Amino acid sequence: MAKIIAQRTFTVRRAPKDGKPGGPGKKGEDALTLVVTPNTFVFQTNDKGDIENLAQNKGKVRMFVGQTEVVPDNIDVAPYNCYARIVGDNILYFDGISPNQWSGKVEVTATYKGQTRTAIAEFVVSAQKWNEAKIISIDKEMVGLKAAQTTINGRTQAVEQRVGRIETRADNIEIEVKKQVFGGANLLKGASLRQLNLLLLQRAQYVKIVNYPSVAHLDNPYISISRHGATQDEWNGAKFPVIKAIGGKTYTLSMYTRIYGSEQPYIEVKRSRSKDMSAPKNSYPNIPSTYGVWKLYTYTFEVEEGYNYLQIFIGLTRNGEAYLSELQLEEGTKATIWKDPDIAESMEAAGIYLNGNDMSINARSKHFRFIDQQGNTVASVDDTGAIDGLKFRTRNLGAGYIDLTGSLMSVYGTVAKNIEFGIDDKGRAILKFYDNAGNNTLNLSPDGLKAESISVASFTALGVCYIGGFQVIDYPAEHSIFNPYFVNTTPSGTSVYLYTGATIQGKFIADGGWSQSQVEANNGKYFQSNKTEWSNFAVNGVYAARLPQVILQEPGNIRPDGGTTSLPKMWQIITIYVFRNGKISSFQLRREITL
């Protein structure tokens, strides 16, 4: 029987820093910090090895000056072995994992008032569900065996689990996974420490939930059990709800603990065959003192066959102080990063219900509210279904968006605000139109329709024939280069275009692909085409008019006897245009002929 061990990696949670429980730490009142919450992500795979919960894993990027949260001026990300970006309200979003990668990170860099901070968010890919699938009926040949082993090793790379047995037989390969080392879900309901009527605190004067964030646990509260001067034993602590377990499986309970005093807190792990927890089997491991320092504590145990219900109680018998944070119960033998086990209960407590692909929200008398970072209600839904908000804005899909703030609605195009409609700050009804440079061009009000002073942009064509560079202006009229233009027919040529910029109230405005400053600079110049775009260049060089030559004749003077006193003459005249950076000047060339 050949044995194959699948290698795995796992992520260790960051331990809290030293300091008083719940204290702000010794960072200074003006210290600038950057936090990504959570700072580690676990992506699960299905029984085919494909990642199935990518979109649900999102992180919040937050920056603080001391204890005060501020909005960063700029946020950049540098993904490693993944594809990630910042979306919406500073949310770290994973678009995908690089092929054949099972771990990586995203470096998040944010700037505030010239100061830069960097935080790192790590990820791992769990192959737990993949390992639970059994592979049977593999081809007998060794080629088939080698391919199967390669697939198993590839799927399990970088996520540490123990494979109980791989048996190689003449007719098949049988894989039996007995113990899961890498867990995943937090099974301990109530461990979010939110008021969801899940966690029972025994003797409120000694046991409480502390929500003041510490440096180590920026977003996570902790349980405080504090009792001094007791003369007899008393069981004070926190009891978690009964949960469903699987007999024959291994579980790990983990938490960050900070223990003062010599009296040790303890854990009661109660297993039962029935939900009412009758006839239980109990174990009572002690939590050792940490002497005032936050430390990670783990306890691994097995649930006996037939015992399918679990309940956890953490208590302190007499004197001492115990602080417990990020409590987690998961299947397997390794503690992983903390995960919120009470999301569904929190949503239902808020009136949000999920049923498959359907979601319903129970909004009762403005109980459905949107809250900003300062705690202000920016939008709510009342019992009639009416939405009451300060500001609404549609998503910009590339063609613009609509912004509704207070009593004014603004319509933005791809370049700028183009329409404003509603009631202004003086209580007047308005409808205003703007160009792409922000200039008000047309107003409609109860007083009537008013158009501002406007001139329209235009291109005017001029027919020309290109002769050459600026040296041509020094050639005499008799030069052969001018022969194609001293003709009585229209010579072959093209057109250049004189641009006149649009104005409103005497000020130039943006036009098409040209900004306001470009329009002002290009006004009165000739261009190669009649479009306002970046590839339209100003005309340079020497050109001849496409008009045929002008011919003037002077007859000779006639004497009384019929003779002449002078010879008749003819002048051939063409117009030459000189363009320098679009600006035009002209002169005439003349050839004189004696008839």
Side-chain angles (χ1 to χ4, degrees):
M1 178 176 66
K3 293 188 176 181
I4 301 174
I5 303 300
Q7 298 297 320
R8 306 285 195 208
T9 64
F10 62 93
T11 300
V12 180
R13 288 187 281 170
R14 176 171 57 86
K17 298 180 180 179
D18 294 344
K20 192 71 176 170
K26 297 180 180 179
K27 293 290 186 180
E29 293 181 355
D30 297 324
L32 182 65
T33 56
L34 179 66
V35 178
V36 180
T37 307
N39 60 10
T40 308
F41 299 84
V42 178
F43 301 125
Q44 301 288 349
T45 55
N46 57 25
D47 57 3
K48 297 181 180 179
D50 299 322
I51 296 175
E52 62 179 0
N53 66 330
L54 188 65
Q56 286 75 23
N57 279 270
K58 301 175 183 178
K60 175 68 175 178
V61 179
R62 304 172 69 183
M63 182 168 270
F64 293 82
V65 175
Q67 294 289 336
T68 303
E69 184 170 359
V70 296
V71 179
D73 299 325
N74 182 62
I75 300 178
D76 294 314
V77 295
Y80 297 85
N81 296 342
C82 63
Y83 310 96
R85 55 194 167 98
I86 298 295
V87 299
D89 188 18
N90 296 341
I91 300 300
L92 176 62
Y93 183 87
F94 286 85
D95 292 308
I97 306 301
S98 301
N100 301 318
Q101 299 297 328
W102 296 79
S103 65
K105 65 179 181 178
V106 178
E107 292 185 359
V108 181
T109 302
T111 303
Y112 178 74
K113 292 186 177 180
Q115 298 188 62
T116 300
R117 296 292 184 269
T118 299
I120 296 177
E122 299 178 320
F123 76 87
V124 293
V125 179
S126 170
Q128 175 189 355
K129 293 185 179 180
W130 166 260
N131 270 346
E132 289 179 343
K134 292 186 179 294
I135 302 176
I136 58 175
S137 300
I138 304 297
D139 194 279
K140 300 177 182 180
E141 298 180 3
M142 293 303 297
V143 174
L145 171 60
K146 183 177 181 180
Q149 293 174 343
T150 300
T151 301
I152 296 168
N153 290 334
R155 291 295 185 182
T156 59
Q157 179 184 1
V159 184
E160 187 176 77
Q161 288 190 326
R162 181 186 307 149
V163 178
R165 183 184 63 185
I166 300 180
E167 293 183 356
T168 304
R169 299 176 180 176
D171 56 348
N172 72 341
I173 298 175
E174 181 181 8
I175 299 178
E176 180 183 355
V177 181
K178 282 191 173 180
K179 293 184 178 180
Q180 299 295 331
V181 176
F182 193 98
N186 187 353
L187 306 176
L188 192 61
K189 289 296 183 180
S192 66
L193 306 186
R194 293 192 292 272
Q195 297 299 326
L196 300 172
N197 297 321
L198 295 173
L199 184 63
L200 177 62
L201 303 180
Q202 296 185 330
R203 297 300 297 273
Q205 63 266 45
Y206 302 132
V207 186
K208 61 183 179 179
I209 303 297
V210 180
N211 289 297
Y212 183 83
S214 67
V215 174
H217 301 282
L218 192 61
D219 292 314
N220 295 327
Y222 56 88
I223 299 174
S224 169
I225 309 175
S226 181
R227 188 167 183 249
H228 298 281
T231 58
Q232 61 183 10
D233 288 349
E234 185 175 304
W235 290 268
N236 304 300
K239 179 179 290 187
F240 292 85
V242 175
I243 62 172
K244 192 78 168 63
I246 301 176
K249 289 283 188 177
T250 300
Y251 293 85
T252 295
L253 177 67
S254 63
M255 69 191 81
Y256 279 105
T257 64
R258 190 175 188 179
I259 311 300
Y260 292 87
S262 59
E263 185 74 20
Q264 292 182 339
Y266 68 96
I267 305 168
E268 181 185 45
V269 181
K270 181 182 294 186
R271 287 92 76 192
S272 177
R273 298 178 183 272
S274 59
K275 192 174 183 179
D276 61 5
M277 302 306 294
S278 60
K281 282 191 174 183
N282 300 331
S283 56
Y284 298 92
N286 288 327
I287 303 176
S289 176
T290 66
Y291 304 99
V293 178
W294 281 107
K295 287 186 178 181
L296 178 64
Y297 169 83
T298 63
Y299 173 65
T300 300
F301 59 94
E302 292 188 6
V303 175
E304 296 83 350
E305 294 284 353
Y307 288 80
N308 297 321
Y309 293 93
L310 268 177
Q311 188 170 32
I312 303 294
F313 172 79
I314 302 176
L316 183 63
T317 305
R318 187 169 287 194
N319 296 320
E321 297 178 23
Y323 304 98
L324 317 169
S325 182
E326 296 187 6
L327 295 95
Q328 181 157 273
L329 178 67
E330 52 195 319
E331 185 180 330
T333 62
K334 294 290 185 181
T336 66
I337 60 170
W338 185 84
K339 293 164 284 293
D340 191 336
D342 303 326
I343 295 177
E345 287 80 5
S346 296
M347 294 175 64
E348 291 184 3
I352 302 175
Y353 300 89
L354 300 177
N355 182 17
N357 294 327
D358 297 327
M359 181 179 72
S360 61
I361 299 176
N362 183 7
R364 300 181 299 274
S365 186
K366 297 184 180 180
H367 284 177
F368 177 45
R369 298 187 296 268
F370 293 94
I371 310 297
D372 64 13
Q373 294 180 352
Q374 289 72 42
N376 302 314
T377 299
V378 295
S380 62
V381 181
D382 64 18
D383 53 356
T384 67
I387 300 176
D388 180 13
L390 301 174
K391 185 179 182 70
F392 298 92
R393 183 167 56 192
T394 62
R395 182 173 300 172
N396 188 354
L397 300 178
Y401 62 95
I402 296 175
D403 182 287
L404 176 58
T405 302
S407 60
L408 278 178
M409 182 178 71
S410 298
V411 179
Y412 289 80
T414 56
V415 178
K417 179 175 69 175
N418 296 127
I419 302 174
E420 192 173 46
F421 169 73
I423 307 298
D424 65 11
D425 55 359
K426 296 181 180 180
R428 298 174 301 186
I430 61 169
L431 174 59
K432 294 184 177 182
F433 294 87
Y434 297 83
D435 63 14
N436 286 336
N439 300 297
N440 181 207
T441 58
L442 186 64
N443 292 327
L444 178 61
S445 70
D447 297 328
L449 182 66
K450 180 182 178 182
E452 306 298 335
S453 177
I454 301 174
S455 66
V456 180
S458 65
F459 282 94
T460 304
L462 174 65
V464 293
C465 303
Y466 179 71
I467 300 177
F470 296 120
Q471 74 277 4
V472 174
I473 61 179
D474 296 326
Y475 293 171
E478 289 73 26
H479 197 288
S480 61
I481 198 172
F482 300 117
N483 290 344
Y485 314 110
F486 283 101
V487 293
N488 294 326
T489 59
T490 302
S492 175
T494 184
S495 292
V496 294
Y497 300 90
L498 173 64
Y499 176 69
T500 302
T503 61
I504 295 179
Q505 298 178 346
K507 295 182 180 180
F508 288 103
I509 62 175
D511 181 16
W514 287 347
S515 66
Q516 184 273 337
S517 60
Q518 289 175 312
V519 168
E520 185 172 1
N522 293 337
N523 180 62
K525 291 183 179 180
Y526 283 87
F527 289 86
Q528 295 175 346
S529 73
N530 59 350
K531 297 183 182 298
T532 56
E533 54 190 6
W534 68 270
S535 59
N536 191 5
F537 301 105
V539 179
N540 284 283
V542 180
Y543 290 74
R546 287 188 66 195
L547 297 174
Q549 66 177 335
V550 175
I551 298 177
L552 299 177
Q553 289 185 339
E554 181 180 289
N557 295 325
I558 302 176
R559 299 191 309 235
D561 61 2
T564 60
T565 59
S566 62
L567 297 175
K569 295 180 179 181
M570 180 177 71
W571 289 273
Q572 298 172 294
I573 303 172
I574 62 174
T575 301
I576 300 299
Y577 299 112
V578 180
F579 295 94
R580 297 181 188 274
N581 192 28
K583 293 295 185 179
I584 187 173
S585 63
S586 65
F587 62 90
Q588 292 183 335
L589 284 182
R590 182 174 63 179
R591 289 179 177 179
E592 182 178 321
I593 301 174
T594 301
L595 299 177

